[in-house]
Amino acid sequence: MEQYIINKEGLQELVAAIIKDGKKVIAPVLRNNKPVYDSVKDYSEIINDFVQTVNSAKEVIFPRTEKLFGFRKDSDGVTVEDFNAGTVPSTVVWGIKPCDAAAIASISAIFNWDYHDKLFNTRLEKTTWISFSCQEADDNCFCTSVNGGPGNTANSDIQLTRMRNSGEFLAEILSDKGIAVKQLSPSSFKPLSEPVIKGEYLADIPVKFDYLQVSQKLEGLFESDVWKEQSLRCLGCGACAYLCPVCACFDIQDESHGKCGERLRCWDSCGFSQFTIHTSGHNPRDKQSQRWRQRLLHKFSYMPERLSVYGCTGCGRCSRSCPADINIFENLISIGR
Amino acid sequence: MNDLRQKAKELLGSGKVKLIIGYEEGPGNKVRAAFSESEESAGKLIFDSRCVQNLAVYLTRKDIRDKGKIAITASVAVMYSIIQLASENQLSDEYLTVLGISPDMTLTEFENMAAVEKFLTQHKVRMAERDAEMLEKISRMTADERWNFWLKTLEPCFKCYACRAACPLCYCTRCTVESNRPQWIPVPSHTIGNLEWHIMRALHMSGRCTDCEACARACPIGIPLNLLTKKIHQDMTGAFGEFSPSVSAGNMMSTFKPDDKETFIR
């Protein structure tokens, strides 16, 4: 790993160089007064003063609506137009947090569980992740309870750490993709004049619950009343799942117009009442409490057990945006007790 | 607050109601819906300016109705939703006791829906000035400009349906967007799918929406989607005159009079 110092002008030059190179840049911006990830054309659009964005950046690798293939019926039969990897733009995601970078391993494990998803892997291959370590956290952050941390570099290609008061950033180049981005604006990166102790600049995020204890408790809780109690005020929307950097459930839809059409993969959520309904009309999860149980068990039991990854990286988005104030770590703490 | 807790304890203790829906403190200075079924738990009920979630959304839910007779702490906005729900035959006096909290924080246990409706005549919902200005701005747009405005405004929607879930009047157990034989509204959240969903939602709210703003508050990404329902309300007021939810007068868009003065309707 190489370390450099980069100042604000250096960051500006770097973003300009990435855009000039023809790459798509996704970064935190303000829309409807909320911090969200969106594509940017200029450094000036990017915001820095926020604890966490409302949405995650997972859309870069798992779009809300994605064409799997096209089809056309003609006199010779049906022609299928397969996914064309060439249509996926080379993308740099700027300004994600370490919890979001950690989530890449989790969502990747889902899309490579047995079948290796070509679309997902193509997008992942073409994406470079530039994370910013956390100098601030809020009540909803709990990365340190799920094996993460404010300076965790896992899955980041470059990590930047703002060095308090100096206006400069420590830049850690963590992969070949990181090196390639650095090469776009080499003069932005200055050598270190003295060693930097990164830990001095990181937020203090206390551990909120014992992950192993929660996982163990969950094993015996399938029939517990705890799910009913916790989900009574749940409204059954999909905000938590759609904002989550790990949630990867999808629905398949065919849309056709005359003789041609496309098959689409669209986000779905286990919180929706129709999520598991069978063609017979039977719904094995016809109550919200069963759907809430599924959400928690999937993240904190099934994913760790079957895919050896964390199903939650402690970003806190679900709790911040829940219209009914369902707070995930509060529920985990009560389960752990 | 003590009035509220005292009243709640009394109602639960006497067995007059089985459940009280109100608010309680959550972590981090947030408040949330509370469901109190015992005198003991009534002690956690609160009401202050942070209590804005429209609790009427829970009144039509089967698992909550199965608990028996309910009392609810209701701000003016919640009372409007209750009367609208009652006018649509979704609520009745046998089932619900309204603990109204007026803007000056006075607690009133209403005898029945009629009393709530009467109370509301003194508390009209007024559109915020900035919303009125925005609607004015939209109405001055050309058709093309307006079309593009809505495409752009609704583009970020990813169809989490928090707007639908938070709305007390979206109580259908199966929504049009979930009907797939035929598929009325495209499921994907792409430009046309988003537009069709929001237009459909707004049209189903015409003459019913009480402007509580639960939909816009619930939207995680802050889309001002209530502008659509506000605009429809404005148009309907223009066409039919001032109207308010009313159990006795019925629901505007589902009321028909043979002697209507408009000839086109006959």
Side-chain angles (χ1 to χ4, degrees), chain A residues 253-290:
Chain A
Q253 291 285 324
D254 280 357
E255 286 201 334
S256 54
H257 315 279
K259 290 189 169 173
C260 58
E262 38 197 43
R263 178 157 294 179
L264 304 168
R265 173 159 71 192
C266 315
W267 286 358
D268 205 346
S269 163
C270 61
F272 290 146
S273 60
Q274 315 275 318
F275 184 71
T276 45
I277 199 161
H278 295 176
T279 44
S280 65
H282 171 66
N283 190 348
R285 290 187 214 134
D286 69 342
K287 294 182 182 70
Q288 201 61 38
S289 56
Q290 297 165 327

Side-chain angles (χ1 to χ4, degrees), chain B residues 1 4 23 25 29 31 46-52 101 105:
Chain B
M1 204 110 88
L4 172 63
Y23 301 92
E25 294 281 351
N29 196 36
V31 296
I46 58 160
F47 191 89
D48 59 37
S49 59
R50 296 170 299 162
C51 302
V52 290
I101 298 170
M105 295 286 174

